[in-house]
Amino acid sequence: MLDRKFILQNADAVRANCEKRGVDCDVDQLIALDSQRLAVLQLAEDLNRQANETSKQIPKAQDNDARNQLIEKGRELRQQKDAAQQEHDQLDQEITAFLSAVPNMTHPDVPAGGEDDAVEIALGKHPVKPFDFKALDHVDLGAKHDLFDFDAGGRVTGAGFYYLKNAAVHLDLALQHYALRFLCDRGFTPMTTPDLALTSILEGIGFTPRGPETQIYSIENSELNLVGTAEITLGGMMSGQTLLAEDLPLLYCGLSHCFRTEAGAGGRASKGLYRVHQFTKVEMFAFALPEQSDQIHLRLKELECELFDSLEVPYRVIDTAAGDLGGPAYRKFDLEAWMPGRGEEGQWGEVTSTSNCTDYQARRLNVRFKRPGQKGTEFAHTLNGTAVATGRAMIAILENHQRADGSIAVPKVLQPWVGTEVIA
């Protein structure tokens, strides 16, 4: 969340930022609530002072009547103080809930608008190549090579779940191994993370784990939820901790299963593996100093590009518009791979994203750092980025590497793990 003092001191900028992001936040209401909170706090402190002064007078009382009157006065003052304190705490809870709904500030270079207003800023090394044959989508390719079983997934777990089979299993594991090795060679610490996290951790990262709008699977009668990304568990790992400035940045790559309800999703472009309820992902996460985060964000984007260039997949990079950023992100870049099987003539489909969340998540999770020789602590900056979500990466690989005879070339970097050059 944003700092309360920052919002109060920069109300116009915060109000304009909310409008830019399409978020309905009544900043004037926050100002009024905080003014009311301060008045009640002052009242509670004044009543406490009066009660303490009254208590000091009791031993000096000249007779029992005077003593009893002072005791009664002190009791009434304590009751009034407790009531004022309770009102203050209630107002403080309302303000905290309000702060949770205020989005992060926005990088000045972020495009204005919504989902359709993202700006293309780069293309990958491999251009989109037209086929001289009718390209199949990954579902038809999967049927041809016996790679997926969506029917069995539906029978066992429900729509949106699936089985991987044969070469798809090897390709899925190859992507995991390759992405982890790729990142370890570049200074990241590999982690396998829990598939469950507490509601408080999800809220700290910026997710809404309970309620009608959530896309999170929650465990009934508990405070646990299935995670939708290792961003949750990697960020939550340092909740309540104070780091040393000289140790930053901390770079992690987390391997996890991801679970999402994907409510309301549908359509031909979302069929097959594109929008499913469970998938595997390798996620990058960084804890950084404030002065490091912009540069690290560009580095995460570069790593995503380098990885997908090595998979020989055409893609473009977009700078996500303000109205499509979500609450925590200060800026977000997406990689969209070319997927020949989407739509009538192919479409771009998101395969990775990377976000700089500045201190928005760290403030909610209370992740701080201490600089040497300085008093106090500061909130760290957090960043995240998808290295590879195996399902969508498989779509891009299968559809772009298909051949006229129906076989599929395996990218060279994956061949050692897949065990073959061609899926035939």
Side-chain angles (χ1 to χ4, degrees), residues 76-338:
E76 291 176 355
L77 286 168
R78 295 287 180 194
Q79 289 177 340
Q80 293 172 19
K81 185 269 292 183
D82 289 344
Q85 185 64 50
Q86 187 175 1
E87 183 180 355
H88 169 271
D89 293 346
Q90 179 61 41
L91 287 167
D92 201 50
Q93 289 178 11
E94 291 181 34
I95 291 170
T96 300
F98 187 98
L99 291 172
S100 297
V102 179
N104 201 353
M105 298 302 287
T106 306
H107 190 287
D109 293 340
V110 167
E115 182 178 0
D116 297 330
D117 298 302
V119 174
E120 182 183 295
I121 58 174
L123 290 169
K125 285 173 55 177
H126 300 278
V128 174
K129 59 178 182 180
F131 293 111
D132 56 5
F133 58 90
K134 180 172 175 53
L136 300 178
D137 66 22
H138 72 284
V139 176
D140 291 334
L141 288 166
K144 182 179 182 65
H145 296 284
D146 197 20
L147 302 179
F148 319 120
D149 194 332
F150 295 101
D151 291 337
R155 287 194 299 272
V156 171
T157 317
F161 293 90
Y162 54 94
Y163 286 79
L164 298 180
K165 299 173 64 178
N166 300 315
V169 176
H170 296 294
L171 186 56
D172 182 83
L173 292 172
L175 285 163
Q176 296 175 44
H177 281 293
Y178 174 63
L180 286 170
R181 185 74 268 158
F182 176 91
L183 293 172
C184 288
D185 289 345
R186 289 156 179 78
F188 286 74
T189 299
M191 309 280 290
T192 58
T193 73
D195 288 339
L196 294 162
L198 293 167
T199 296
S200 58
I201 297 298
L202 270 76
E203 290 174 340
I205 291 293
F207 287 82
T208 304
R210 308 286 166 118
E213 300 300 322
T214 188
Q215 291 200 9
I216 300 294
Y217 286 105
S218 297
I219 308 302
E220 190 175 9
N221 300 321
S222 82
E223 283 300 308
L224 290 171
N225 311 269
L226 291 171
V227 301
T229 167
E231 174 192 350
I232 295 166
T233 40
L234 291 173
M237 182 171 63
M238 294 298 178
S239 176
Q241 304 301 300
T242 299
L243 311 173
L244 298 177
E246 53 265 37
D247 292 337
L248 299 178
L250 295 175
L251 303 175
Y252 296 101
C253 54
L255 172 65
S256 76
H257 298 116
C258 304
F259 304 87
R260 301 181 184 181
T261 65
E262 296 287 7
R268 185 170 183 269
S270 295
K271 72 175 184 176
L273 294 178
Y274 190 80
R275 201 175 295 280
V276 290
H277 297 315
Q278 178 181 341
F279 57 95
T280 302
K281 182 155 69 92
V282 177
E283 180 79 0
M284 299 179 286
F285 198 92
F287 296 95
L289 299 173
E291 59 267 28
Q292 295 171 332
S293 65
D294 279 340
Q295 194 59 41
I296 291 174
H297 191 209
L298 295 176
R299 178 61 177 150
L300 295 183
K301 174 175 68 71
E302 290 168 359
L303 288 171
E304 292 176 345
C305 292
E306 187 180 349
L307 196 151
F308 273 82
D309 281 335
S310 70
L311 294 176
E312 305 166 55
V313 168
Y315 65 83
R316 66 176 183 174
V317 184
I318 63 169
D319 197 350
T320 305
D324 198 33
L325 282 176
Y330 174 64
R331 193 178 195 182
K332 181 162 76 79
F333 301 115
D334 286 351
L335 257 67
E336 295 183 339
W338 181 251

Side-chain angles (χ1 to χ4, degrees), residues 31-77:
I31 295 171
L33 283 171
D34 196 65
S35 178
Q36 188 179 350
R37 180 191 67 83
L38 289 172
V40 174
L41 177 62
Q42 185 175 355
L43 174 61
E45 291 173 345
D46 187 54
L47 289 167
N48 190 58
R49 178 185 56 77
Q50 293 181 47
N52 289 336
E53 290 176 354
T54 301
S55 295
K56 292 177 183 178
Q57 295 173 18
I58 292 174
K60 302 175 183 178
Q62 296 181 353
D63 53 45
N64 285 338
D65 286 344
R67 178 185 178 84
N68 289 336
Q69 288 177 4
L70 288 170
I71 291 174
E72 179 62 21
K73 180 181 178 182
R75 185 182 65 80
E76 291 176 355
L77 286 168

Side-chain angles (χ1 to χ4, degrees), residues 281-411:
K281 182 155 69 92
V282 177
E283 180 79 0
M284 299 179 286
F285 198 92
F287 296 95
L289 299 173
E291 59 267 28
Q292 295 171 332
S293 65
D294 279 340
Q295 194 59 41
I296 291 174
H297 191 209
L298 295 176
R299 178 61 177 150
L300 295 183
K301 174 175 68 71
E302 290 168 359
L303 288 171
E304 292 176 345
C305 292
E306 187 180 349
L307 196 151
F308 273 82
D309 281 335
S310 70
L311 294 176
E312 305 166 55
V313 168
Y315 65 83
R316 66 176 183 174
V317 184
I318 63 169
D319 197 350
T320 305
D324 198 33
L325 282 176
Y330 174 64
R331 193 178 195 182
K332 181 162 76 79
F333 301 115
D334 286 351
L335 257 67
E336 295 183 339
W338 181 251
M339 297 181 178
R342 296 188 87 205
E344 295 301 321
E345 299 178 353
Q347 293 177 6
W348 299 105
E350 180 191 332
V351 287
T352 77
S353 66
T354 178
S355 300
N356 181 1
C357 297
T358 62
D359 64 358
Y360 190 89
Q361 294 174 328
R363 190 178 299 278
R364 297 159 76 108
L365 292 167
N366 194 26
V367 182
R368 298 171 177 268
F369 71 91
K370 183 172 179 58
R371 298 184 190 269
Q374 293 189 14
K375 292 183 178 180
T377 59
E378 302 173 49
F379 289 106
H381 278 203
T382 61
L383 303 97
N384 64 82
T386 310
V388 63
T390 59
R392 292 192 179 185
M394 268 198 280
I395 295 174
I397 289 169
L398 295 174
E399 294 187 359
N400 283 286
H401 290 271
Q402 61 182 299
R403 296 170 171 176
D405 63 1
S407 64
I408 303 163
V410 177

Side-chain angles (χ1 to χ4, degrees), residues 10-20 23 25-28 31:
N10 300 273
D12 289 342
V14 173
R15 190 181 293 109
N17 185 64
C18 290
E19 292 175 1
K20 183 187 298 184
V23 177
C25 285
D26 189 349
V27 178
D28 291 332
I31 295 171

